[in-house]
Amino acid sequence: MRFPAVLYSTIIQYLAKQHLAGNKRFPLVLMLEPTLRCNLDCIGCGRIAEYHEKRCPDLTLEECLESVDECGAPIVSVCGGEPLIYQPVDQLIQELYQRKKYVYLCTNAMFLDRFWDRIPPHKRLCLSIHLDGMEEGHDWAVNKPGVFKKVNAVLQEAKKRGYRVATNTTLFSGSNPQEIINMMEYLQEIGVDGMLISGAYPQEGVKGEASFKEREQMESIFQEIFGKNGAVKKYRLDNSPLYIEFLQGLREIACSPWGSPNRTVQGWKAPCYVLNDGYYKTFQELMEKTDWDSLGPGKDPRCTACKIHSGFETTISFGQNCSLKDYVRMIGWNLFS
Ligand code: SF4
């Protein structure tokens, strides 16, 4: 199976409840950012661009758990900032297990070797490690030499210690396709459990200027990576085959921004992970006051070149935009890849 059985059972039970309740829009993954503090200064980090002049205190553990309970999403992605800088991160994760959540700990891995005892392997935990290429590309993306070497060592140690380990890669318009193929080859060799690849959101889009040209440039990079060498079948990708086709511009998918709501230190960010139209105090306000129908490619100009995972992969998880053939492919991918 592509993902752990506990993740499938958590999601299936949750989706069944939502469908029985007749809910049309509901969250699947809570992107929880308990801190904005980070030990790195990555060039593509939207959070650095957004908050570089603003200091915001961390969320308290209680605020985190209130948000988790109010939102109700079965998967919690603990991100940031660097979540391993958040002092009660281990308590937070324990509380999430108790609530039967599946946890993705999204980390740059620089401090991970200090946490082997505090955050041991667990059936509800996946380490999601940031890696934007091999040594040259990753150290460029994180703006610091030596980071790739450290990540590489920690990633291999995490595998030896029995963690489920996935990587999280963002491609930019200047990314080198061959380097990404080399990275996937290398990750496959060392036995990572999954690789998640996504397109960076063009920061020009925030100003309403992202164009079809930018979208096409990004699609051609994805075509070079996925179109030629059977990469979709060859590597343990966490991206669904339908999303990979979307990345290459081979199919359209609607965006479901409500599927991955983002709780930040400033509140519930509206309307999605990358756009910022303001913050709401509660998840309920976010859901009720956001004009969801006005968002997505072809509706909001800021969405034109967007390919981010959190917006589009959730649509596939909800089973929307899927034909019968797509369902069959997705079942095959989940069960037999
Ligand atoms: S397409 Fe969706 S995720 Fe992307 S910017 Fe628009 S609303 Fe946000």
Side-chain angles (χ1 to χ4, degrees):
M1 281 197 296
R2 191 70 206 84
F3 297 100
V6 68
L7 179 56
Y8 284 118
S9 68
T10 303
I11 292 176
I12 289 168
Q13 284 176 42
Y14 174 78
L15 290 179
K17 268 190 211 156
Q18 295 297 330
H19 286 302
L20 285 173
N23 292 336
K24 189 174 157 214
R25 292 183 174 127
F26 49 85
L28 186 62
V29 182
L30 166 60
M31 317 262 274
L32 179 64
E33 297 177 2
T35 183
L36 276 181
R37 292 178 293 135
C38 193
N39 52 315
L40 293 178
D41 186 16
C42 304
I43 55 155
C45 179
R47 292 300 178 266
I48 289 173
E50 201 173 327
Y51 294 108
H52 70 288
E53 283 174 352
K54 200 164 193 166
R55 295 215 171 265
C56 298
D58 293 354
L59 294 177
T60 64
L61 181 59
E62 290 69 29
E63 286 172 323
C64 287
L65 295 174
E66 269 170 30
S67 300
V68 168
D69 292 340
E70 194 205 351
C71 174
I75 303 171
V76 180
S77 174
V78 181
C79 40
E82 167 52 48
L84 295 180
I85 291 179
Y86 181 62
Q87 199 275 331
V89 64
D90 47 348
Q91 284 170 270
L92 171 62
I93 289 172
Q94 282 299 329
E95 291 283 349
L96 295 175
Y97 296 156
Q98 285 183 11
R99 285 164 169 77
K100 306 275 184 242
K101 306 295 181 188
Y102 192 86
V103 180
Y104 280 90
L105 178 62
C106 300
T107 174
N108 59 42
M110 296 298 280
F111 300 144
L112 198 54
D113 52 0
R114 302 178 194 173
F115 282 83
W116 301 137
D117 294 334
R118 284 176 61 190
I119 308 176
H122 191 282
K123 66 178 181 178
R124 290 187 170 273
L125 175 67
C126 179
L127 302 176
S128 175
I129 295 180
H130 174 204
L131 193 66
D132 282 349
M134 295 298 281
E135 185 161 8
E136 188 182 344
H138 188 63
D139 286 357
W140 168 78
V142 300
N143 207 9
K144 190 170 181 179
V147 172
F148 176 84
K149 282 200 173 82
K150 169 85 183 187
V151 172
N152 179 20
V154 172
L155 200 154
Q156 297 199 41
E157 180 64 22
K159 276 302 301 171
K160 274 191 213 141
R161 286 175 179 263
Y163 289 86
R164 183 173 179 86
V165 180
T167 51
N168 192 337
T169 302
T170 304
L171 263 62
F172 304 90
S173 51
S175 295
N176 175 353
Q178 188 55 50
E179 182 174 5
I180 301 300
I181 292 169
N182 295 346
M183 180 195 77
M184 293 193 298
E185 196 69 47
Y186 155 74
L187 292 173
Q188 189 84 1
E189 259 173 47
I190 63 171
V192 297
D193 299 285
M195 308 169 205
L196 186 75
I197 308 222
S198 182
Y201 179 75
Q203 286 303 309
E204 294 74 17
V206 176
K207 301 173 218 148
E209 293 166 8
S211 64
F212 280 109
K213 194 169 162 227
E214 279 170 279
R215 185 183 162 135
E216 283 165 10
Q217 277 171 349
M218 193 58 99
E219 285 168 354
S220 72
I221 293 176
F222 283 114
Q223 283 164 13
E224 281 199 55
I225 295 169
F226 295 116
K228 294 177 189 160
N229 60 356
V232 176
K233 288 201 176 135
K234 191 170 171 191
Y235 303 114
R236 287 190 67 79
L237 294 165
D238 277 353
N239 305 101
S240 71
L242 305 188
Y243 178 68
I244 296 281
E245 288 178 3
F246 169 70
L247 289 176
Q248 296 174 82
L250 302 177
R251 71 184 297 144
E252 293 298 328
I253 296 174
C255 178
S256 304
W258 59 87
S260 305
N262 185 198
R263 172 60 158 113
T264 78
V265 291
Q266 288 205 292
W268 292 90
K269 188 164 182 269
C272 70
Y273 187 68
V274 286
L275 300 182
N276 186 355
D277 291 343
Y279 294 89
Y280 291 110
K281 280 196 178 145
T282 65
F283 174 68
Q284 190 180 356
E285 276 183 284
L286 170 77
M287 291 301 279
E288 289 175 359
K289 294 187 176 168
T290 306
D291 181 7
W292 301 112
D293 289 328
S294 69
L295 295 163
K299 297 178 183 171
D300 187 319
R302 298 173 298 176
C303 301
T304 303
C306 181
K307 294 270 182 192
I308 69 166
H309 177 264
S310 61
F312 297 92
E313 191 82 270
T314 36
T315 307
I316 297 165
S317 306
F318 290 147
Q320 291 162 0
N321 285 167
C322 290
S323 64
L324 186 59
K325 193 175 157 202
D326 293 334
Y327 279 116
V328 172
R329 278 179 74 198
M330 287 296 289
I331 290 169
W333 175 71
N334 276 292
L335 295 183
F336 307 116
S337 68

